Amino acid sequence: MAPKSKTPAVSAPVHEGYEFGGPLGAAAISFGLPILMYVFTFACNDISGCPAPSLLNPKTLDLGQLKREVGWPEDGIIGVFDLNVTLYVLAYYLVNALLYGILPASEVQGTELATGGRLTYRFNAFTSHMIILAVCVAGTVQSGASFTLWTYISDNYLQIFTANLLLATFLATFVYVRSFSVKPGNKEMRELAAGGQTGNMMYDWYIGRELNPRVTLPIIGEMDIKVWFELRPGLLGWLLLNAAWVAQQYRNYGYITDSIAFIAGIQSLYIIDSWINESSILTMIDITMDGFGFMLSFGDIAWVPFLYSTQTRYLSIYPVTLGPTGIAAMLAVLGTGFYIFRSSNNEKNLFRTNPNDPRVSHLEYIQTKTGSKLLVTGWWGTARHINYFGDWIQAWPYSLPTAIAGYTILAAGTGAEGAFVMADGREVVQGAARGWGMLFTYFYVLYFGVLLIHRDGRDDQKCLRKYGDDWIEYRRRVKWRIIPYVY
């Protein structure tokens, strides 16, 4: 076990104070969020309902009955893990890594490190993932909704999540232990993160101790672990999970509804757009200031792909039809959010890389003592994190197509009025579950809003420490945090 150290070997200025509630908060998140994901998986299911019927009557809850309703593994909790599934998941990561290593890539330098110098990053996520998706399209053309990959994901969803959770835990532990090899004056430009050097093992493991951990692998070459996991296997996994649930809906009913097609489509566009603009992540606070620990490893490959595909998973069982008016309304909300998000980020990146460009040269800014420039007009003069506002608006069309969510699955031949009949004869109705399913399908919107507010607070404190009086002046000139005239 690596020793605790309150004196960093190589670092930016050490962050004073804890975030996320300190060690107890870090422990609660590290254990609580995986448990929450298992609760979501079991409680909203394709066996009995969303939520499981017994959960609607907690006073008469019978544990044995609940286990049957949620599909609890016959061999108990060990059943959430499967070695073969885990090996397939690792093979998926290996293929992605090989494509990263062997395909042509653009090379971009990151922001300057606190200890001096800039790291070089290879970007080819778009090309790599288009090759993988082309194989998936070919398989779907050949086998339809019964393509092996789609059925495998549906049949082993629980075990696939467990495999990703275990990998996230391994990654966080690996980079934490390895961070103690960072030495002064190292030629690899390794650096410790300011916030990950508290000396508390639990907290530093969670928040991330090393800023830019890298490994060199045979054939693949040097890989920046944090940047690679930020946009690659997790986001592709999110897209593949959505595709699997679309295929599941078709196998269940013989058709695909506009609601599930809309969500899968817009989320795919969001994911692909992030691959196209892959280099833009180099200015994100996740990359420039945060270490790589369980917070990011779990978020990248377990939380994002599995939580964010909850809506398509729900719609694969309860098909909702929006109609032209509903689709138009969703597109209007989405377009507004995407425009704000992408335009503001493009403005920031363009100003940082080429401030003399006519599109941004007219913008006013504060020249800080650190040499950085803080925009006070344009998008960034409207709100300090106007991009967060656009991002949150985009979150709503991910959940709204599920409408007033909730369903109960009845036995074949029940003859319930207005029921959707699945291919195996079971009938799906809302019944007493109506509205309760929103706890699952709208959780993302609530969570994302809280996340952005918390991230804004973290950013504000980090910028205050970095820019001092210049940041105070910036806050005076740009009053609103995220939502202009509201927050």
Side-chain angles (χ1 to χ4, degrees), residues 249-436:
Q249 187 188 75
Y250 189 85
R251 292 197 301 274
N252 285 338
Y253 298 106
Y255 58 84
I256 295 173
T257 59
D258 55 6
S259 59
I260 197 170
F262 175 80
I263 293 177
I266 63 172
Q267 291 184 345
S268 295
L269 289 175
Y270 177 86
I271 293 166
I272 293 172
D273 175 74
S274 71
W275 295 336
I276 294 174
N277 295 281
E278 187 178 12
S279 62
S280 66
I281 69 171
L282 294 181
T283 60
M284 292 172 54
I285 199 166
D286 289 359
I287 306 302
T288 60
M289 293 187 179
D290 287 340
F292 185 79
F294 187 74
M295 178 180 72
L296 290 181
S297 67
F298 174 77
D300 288 344
I301 64 175
W303 182 255
V304 167
F306 291 89
L307 177 69
Y308 290 20
S309 59
T310 297
Q311 293 83 8
T312 52
R313 181 170 171 257
Y314 169 87
L315 291 169
S316 71
I317 305 300
Y318 191 83
V320 174
T321 300
L322 298 174
T325 302
I327 292 293
M330 295 301 102
L331 286 173
V333 175
L334 177 69
T336 300
F338 183 79
Y339 174 72
I340 295 173
F341 174 78
R342 181 51 62 198
S343 296
S344 59
N345 279 334
N346 285 344
E347 181 184 82
K348 176 184 66 175
N349 293 328
L350 183 59
F351 183 78
R352 286 182 172 178
T353 57
N354 186 15
N356 295 320
D357 189 292
R359 290 170 289 180
V360 295
S361 60
H362 64 285
L363 297 176
E364 297 178 16
Y365 58 86
I366 296 173
Q367 179 69 59
T368 69
K369 298 179 182 66
T370 65
S372 300
K373 299 174 181 178
L374 302 176
L375 288 171
V376 293
T377 59
W379 280 112
W380 299 92
T382 306
R384 298 174 217 160
H385 278 114
I386 189 67
N387 57 333
Y388 289 1
F389 181 42
D391 218 6
W392 189 62
I393 292 175
Q394 289 184 93
W396 280 92
Y398 293 0
S399 296
L400 287 172
T402 64
I404 308 299
Y407 60 78
T408 300
I409 301 177
L410 307 175
T414 303
E417 184 178 353
F420 294 104
V421 181
M422 293 197 288
D424 60 6
R426 291 183 299 160
E427 300 178 9
V428 183
V429 299
Q430 287 207 294
R434 177 179 169 81
W436 289 103

Side-chain angles (χ1 to χ4, degrees), residues 430-447:
Q430 287 207 294
R434 177 179 169 81
W436 289 103
M438 296 174 72
L439 295 172
F440 306 98
T441 64
Y442 285 80
F443 176 81
Y444 167 71
V445 176
L446 175 63
Y447 149 76

Side-chain angles (χ1 to χ4, degrees), residues 6-312:
K6 294 187 178 181
T7 303
V10 179
S11 69
V14 178
H15 168 63
E16 295 180 2
Y18 288 118
E19 298 176 304
F20 298 99
L24 290 179
I29 294 172
S30 299
F31 291 101
L33 291 188
I35 292 173
L36 180 64
M37 286 303 304
Y38 282 117
V39 169
F40 271 40
T41 300
F42 285 116
C44 184
N45 60 73
D46 61 355
I47 299 171
S48 62
C50 181
S54 291
L55 295 175
L56 298 174
N57 300 285
K59 291 183 178 180
T60 59
L61 184 66
D62 178 81
L63 186 58
Q65 176 64 19
L66 179 62
K67 286 184 175 180
R68 290 188 290 272
E69 291 178 355
V70 303
W72 186 254
E74 293 183 1
D75 48 354
I77 195 170
I78 192 64
V80 304
F81 170 80
D82 184 277
L83 179 58
N84 288 331
V85 172
T86 300
L87 292 176
Y88 275 119
V89 170
L90 292 177
Y92 160 76
Y93 281 89
L94 178 60
V95 168
N96 207 310
L98 287 171
L99 291 175
Y100 163 81
I102 65 178
L103 291 177
S106 61
E107 295 192 352
V108 180
Q109 285 196 324
T111 58
E112 186 173 358
L113 299 172
T115 51
R118 298 173 185 267
L119 291 169
T120 300
Y121 297 85
R122 299 184 77 251
F123 292 124
N124 61 7
F126 178 77
T127 306
S128 300
H129 294 144
M130 287 303 105
I131 291 175
I132 295 174
L133 291 177
V135 173
C136 294
V137 170
T140 304
V141 170
Q142 177 68 30
S143 304
S146 297
F147 176 46
T148 301
L149 177 61
W150 309 143
T151 58
Y152 191 85
I153 290 174
S154 298
D155 294 343
N156 299 279
Y157 174 78
L158 175 65
Q159 291 75 21
I160 293 173
F161 171 75
T162 300
N164 282 276
L165 173 60
L166 292 175
L167 178 57
T169 305
F170 168 79
L171 281 171
T173 305
F174 170 74
V175 296
Y176 173 78
V177 173
R178 190 168 174 267
S179 71
F180 289 92
S181 64
V182 177
K183 303 297 182 184
N186 68 86
K187 297 179 180 180
E188 297 85 5
M189 291 190 290
R190 296 176 65 191
E191 184 174 295
L192 298 182
Q197 306 169 60
T198 67
N200 182 278
M201 184 184 299
M202 180 70 236
Y203 182 83
D204 292 348
W205 174 83
Y206 167 77
I207 205 72
R209 195 167 184 273
E210 186 170 353
L211 181 66
N212 47 274
R214 294 186 165 206
V215 293
T216 300
L217 304 172
I219 302 176
I220 298 167
E222 186 178 57
M223 175 187 293
D224 188 289
I225 297 175
K226 181 167 63 174
V227 169
W228 192 81
F229 277 94
E230 184 84 16
L231 290 181
R232 283 178 171 269
L235 288 191
L236 178 60
W238 176 13
L239 193 155
L240 295 177
L241 284 167
N242 277 342
W245 298 127
V246 171
Q248 181 68 59
Q249 187 188 75
Y250 189 85
R251 292 197 301 274
N252 285 338
Y253 298 106
Y255 58 84
I256 295 173
T257 59
D258 55 6
S259 59
I260 197 170
F262 175 80
I263 293 177
I266 63 172
Q267 291 184 345
S268 295
L269 289 175
Y270 177 86
I271 293 166
I272 293 172
D273 175 74
S274 71
W275 295 336
I276 294 174
N277 295 281
E278 187 178 12
S279 62
S280 66
I281 69 171
L282 294 181
T283 60
M284 292 172 54
I285 199 166
D286 289 359
I287 306 302
T288 60
M289 293 187 179
D290 287 340
F292 185 79
F294 187 74
M295 178 180 72
L296 290 181
S297 67
F298 174 77
D300 288 344
I301 64 175
W303 182 255
V304 167
F306 291 89
L307 177 69
Y308 290 20
S309 59
T310 297
Q311 293 83 8
T312 52

